Amino acid sequence: MKKLLIIGIVYLFCFCKTGFAYERIISLAPALTDEICLLNVPEKLVGCTVYCKPYGIAEEIERVGTIIEINIEKIVSLKPDLVLASNLTDAKAVAKLKSLGINTVSWPLVKNYEELCKKFLELGKLVGKKDEAEKIVKDSKEKVGMIRKKVKKGLKTTVFVELGSKPLFALTSNSFGNDFIKFAGGVNIAGDLKIGYYSREEVFKNDPDVIIISDMGIAGHEEKKAWEQHKVLKAVKNKRVHVIDAYALCSPTPVSFVDTLEKIVKLLNP
């Protein structure tokens, strides 16, 4: 009994000193899957959504559902020690997983670059890659700082960012991608909205310098063609209607944030 007690004390000491890293993780969000791979521990992923694109790991990784609807039976069968759910994951399904004794953490949707870095550091601790996460964030912040310094002062390019077409849905200031526009020296014409529903009439009224469309597959390029029919718009006349990858715009990692910011800076500062 005394021996077991000593072993327990040693274990607790090690746990408090080094922390515990989860080994069998299921990610229910593409951004989280990307970040786990970025931290160079793709082997810890035992499941993810059909929309995830894990690199550095076999494509045979189990798919446990979409971003919203998940297969609880499949998740249970994979015996995860951690399930990372997004704010879009069905709340009832998350509650069910917890009731089954599965360690499930609801990972909040980050709303800006600072939150992105903060949550990435937390993820680094969970997977036993604290130092690596800190290095990645430090490098990302240095590069973002350098890019922002190069943006012309006083240049306020007006921008409309389209996230959805039916109905028309715009990027607002409380959406993550707004930092891309702000850091690149732009002004989001839909920035004041709390909810992103927008009308085409409002786009014509505000007449932005640039229109950026989130790639929605074929729909994104069809939207570009549709906007280009309206020659009265400044963005159309000056050939400044662009389609950008939805993952890059809405689900970046600290590393991909830098790449996307560089692209948007070029779009806003040709």
Side-chain angles (χ1 to χ4, degrees):
M1 187 71 181
K2 186 176 180 181
K3 185 178 179 180
L4 288 174
L5 181 61
I6 293 172
I7 292 172
I9 291 171
V10 171
Y11 173 79
L12 284 172
F13 173 76
C14 293
F15 177 85
C16 293
K17 189 174 181 63
T18 63
F20 173 75
Y22 293 98
E23 298 297 329
R24 295 183 61 79
I25 303 171
I26 291 178
S27 166
L28 301 179
L32 287 169
T33 299
D34 287 348
E35 289 181 339
I36 290 170
C37 292
L38 180 60
L39 287 165
N40 204 29
V41 284
E43 71 280 357
K44 292 184 183 240
L45 274 173
V46 295
C48 63
T49 77
V50 295
Y51 297 108
C52 295
K53 301 175 182 178
Y55 51 89
I57 191 170
E59 282 300 313
E60 295 81 57
I61 183 173
E62 290 288 342
R63 306 296 167 145
V64 297
T66 66
I67 296 172
I68 299 173
E69 298 179 349
I70 57 175
N71 186 326
I72 294 175
E73 288 184 4
K74 182 172 282 189
I75 289 175
V76 172
S77 71
L78 292 172
K79 300 178 181 178
D81 53 21
L82 177 65
V83 174
L84 293 171
S86 77
N87 67 313
L88 297 175
T89 309
D90 179 50
K92 290 182 179 179
V94 170
K96 180 64 175 177
L97 288 175
K98 290 180 178 179
S99 72
L100 292 172
I102 295 176
N103 183 25
T104 306
V105 176
S106 295
W107 209 254
L109 179 69
V110 295
K111 294 184 179 180
N112 53 55
Y113 176 66
E114 280 301 319
E115 285 186 12
L116 172 70
C117 292
K118 180 181 177 182
K119 297 307 292 183
F120 184 73
L121 292 173
E122 288 181 25
L123 182 63
K125 292 177 183 177
L126 289 177
V127 300
K129 292 287 184 175
K130 178 178 177 290
D131 292 344
E132 289 85 343
E134 289 176 350
K135 185 179 183 301
I136 289 170
V137 166
K138 182 176 180 292
D139 184 57
S140 175
K141 286 188 173 182
E142 287 177 355
K143 289 179 179 178
V144 168
M146 289 173 63
I147 293 170
R148 296 186 71 179
K149 285 181 180 178
K150 292 179 181 179
V151 174
K152 293 179 183 178
K153 303 298 180 184
L155 182 67
K156 296 297 180 183
T157 305
T158 55
V159 188
F160 173 67
V161 183
E162 179 181 347
L163 300 180
S165 59
K166 295 178 182 179
L168 193 65
F169 201 82
L171 181 78
T172 63
S173 61
N174 63 357
S175 300
F176 182 89
N178 191 66
D179 271 3
F180 285 124
I181 305 305
K182 184 170 68 176
F183 291 179
V187 176
N188 181 2
I189 66 169
D192 293 336
L193 296 179
K194 290 184 178 180
I195 300 177
Y197 293 113
Y198 215 65
S199 70
R200 295 187 187 270
E201 289 74 21
E202 286 175 295
V203 177
F204 282 98
K205 179 183 176 182
N206 289 297
D207 196 14
D209 297 308
V210 179
I211 294 175
I212 295 175
I213 305 164
S214 173
D215 183 6
M216 301 161 272
I218 295 175
H221 294 280
E222 287 179 346
E223 275 295 290
K224 183 176 186 292
K225 291 179 182 178
W227 283 116
E228 288 174 340
Q229 300 301 311
H230 303 287
K231 306 297 183 182
V232 295
L233 288 168
K234 279 188 294 184
V236 175
K237 283 188 290 187
N238 297 319
K239 297 181 179 180
R240 301 185 73 183
V241 180
H242 308 283
V243 178
I244 194 166
D245 181 74
Y247 284 97
L249 185 65
C250 303
S251 302
T253 69
V255 172
S256 66
F257 182 93
V258 176
D259 297 332
T260 302
L261 179 58
E262 286 179 332
K263 291 175 184 177
I264 291 179
V265 166
K266 290 178 181 178
L267 296 181
L268 271 56
N269 305 270

